[in-house]
Amino acid sequence: MKVTGVIEPFLPLCRRLLPGRLAGLSMALLKSTALEAAILAGHLLLYPTGLTPERRPPAPGTPAAEPAGTDRLPVRAAPPVVLLHGFIDNRSVFVLLRRSLAQHGGQRVESLNYSPLTCDIRTAAELLGRHIEEICERTGSRRVDIVGHSLGGLIARYYVQRLGGDLRVRTLVTLGTPHSGTRVAPLADAHPIVRQMRPGSEVIEELARPAPGCRTRFVSFWSDLDSLMEPVETARVEHPDLITENVRVTGIGHLALPVHPAVATGIRQALDEARPEERIPGGLTVA
């Protein structure tokens, strides 16, 4: 993000008076911050609705009652999509994305909760693996797609890369996931799972190890205004053995990634291998 020449003489004063992240204020950052605040307020209202596990959808061939007035495309022959939330969150963060995938993409969509008391990414990844096996058995699908926000993407990646989950996961889409670790909020290191998300942690080092023959395709959406990723490029998947596609999102922050309709469109396109020509080339500007 560039600062105009008019502002440059005042930067030293701004750096002394304001925190470093505020010294480069721009209209885009102001809009992003306002949007993040609005999304946070809305999410706090919805949060209680996601505390309990969602009801399992009926198995294939079982009549399913739809709410009156719901326009929904027929479920097509594509893997179920599993949504996995971030740190200290729950499935309510995916209300809008779930609706977009179900109505426009036609996939079966399921949201999983992991315990807010989770203290180890490896343990959460093992539990995710058991959930995936149950979903495959119930739906009759050999593979699934996963969309993980923040920590959820890291848990899913560990399952895919270190626990043999590439046999089950066709595509893993991550939204603002600290693939190389994030340095933000050092005071949060009291929580063990936060320490595992730091650069150089054992978990991050494990994910950097060779992964020859990994079958899963990785698509990472990373934002240039993501205040929880430090540096912001840590949300990119950089690994020589993995099939990766990194999509830069311009104009929104961390909380908006699983909510913004333009990102939802990009996710649908990423999951739709039948129409690769519709994928977003080079990046996604939403503001």
Side-chain angles (χ1 to χ4, degrees):
M1 185 177 298
K2 295 182 179 179
V3 181
T4 64
V6 175
I7 299 176
E8 286 177 358
F10 298 97
L11 283 179
L13 177 61
C14 291
R15 291 192 181 101
R16 288 196 297 270
L17 296 179
L18 298 173
R21 282 191 175 273
L22 297 181
L25 277 177
S26 68
M27 187 59 66
L29 182 57
L30 288 173
K31 289 181 179 179
S32 172
T33 303
L35 180 60
E36 291 283 282
I39 291 173
L40 178 60
H43 187 40
L44 289 176
L45 292 176
L46 286 174
Y47 191 90
T49 67
L51 290 173
T52 58
E54 69 178 9
R55 293 189 301 174
R56 293 175 177 175
T62 303
E66 293 287 349
T70 299
D71 295 324
R72 182 170 176 171
L73 296 177
V75 175
R76 55 187 172 87
V81 180
V82 179
L83 307 178
L84 197 61
H85 61 80
F87 183 54
I88 316 180
D89 209 341
N90 62 41
R91 61 185 178 85
S92 62
V93 72
F94 291 120
V95 167
L96 297 179
L97 178 59
R98 180 192 177 96
R99 182 180 303 169
S100 175
L101 290 173
Q103 291 184 347
H104 300 286
Q107 292 105 327
R108 299 174 61 89
V109 184
E110 301 197 19
S111 302
L112 297 181
N113 275 356
Y114 55 86
S115 171
L117 302 178
T118 298
C119 292
D120 184 66
I121 288 174
R122 303 177 187 91
T123 301
E126 292 174 359
L127 180 59
L128 172 63
R130 293 197 288 272
H131 281 302
I132 297 300
E133 291 300 320
E134 186 276 328
I135 290 171
C136 288
E137 181 179 357
R138 173 163 44 85
T139 63
S141 178
R142 292 191 308 108
R143 308 189 80 184
V144 302
D145 292 329
I146 298 179
V147 179
H149 180 226
S150 197
L151 173 61
L154 207 59
I155 291 171
R157 181 179 172 185
Y158 194 93
Y159 163 64
V160 165
Q161 201 175 322
R162 303 295 299 173
L163 302 179
D166 62 316
L167 289 172
R168 287 298 193 191
V169 180
R170 182 187 68 160
T171 301
L172 170 57
V173 176
T174 64
L175 312 172
T177 290
H179 290 286
S180 300
T182 178
R183 301 184 182 92
V184 77
L187 295 180
D189 280 350
H191 198 292
I193 212 164
V194 173
R195 294 197 296 270
Q196 290 184 334
M197 289 191 285
R198 295 302 191 201
S201 73
E202 290 185 3
V203 168
I204 297 299
E205 291 298 319
E206 284 186 62
L207 294 176
R209 293 174 187 170
C214 184
R215 303 165 180 83
T216 299
R217 171 172 160 259
F218 293 79
V219 181
S220 62
F221 287 77
W222 65 283
S223 173
D224 56 359
L225 295 180
D226 191 334
S227 60
L228 294 186
M229 298 296 106
E230 188 177 321
V232 292
E233 292 82 6
T234 192
R236 296 169 53 93
V237 178
E238 305 286 358
H239 194 294
D241 294 333
L242 302 181
I243 305 166
T244 63
E245 179 181 352
N246 293 298
V247 181
R248 175 175 176 171
V249 181
T250 300
I252 62 174
H254 189 78
L255 297 178
L257 285 168
V259 174
H260 201 285
V263 178
T265 299
I267 294 170
R268 295 200 311 268
Q269 294 170 359
L271 295 178
D272 192 351
E273 290 187 336
R275 293 181 291 175
E277 71 281 357
E278 292 187 6
R279 291 182 194 151
I280 301 170
L284 175 63
T285 300
V286 298

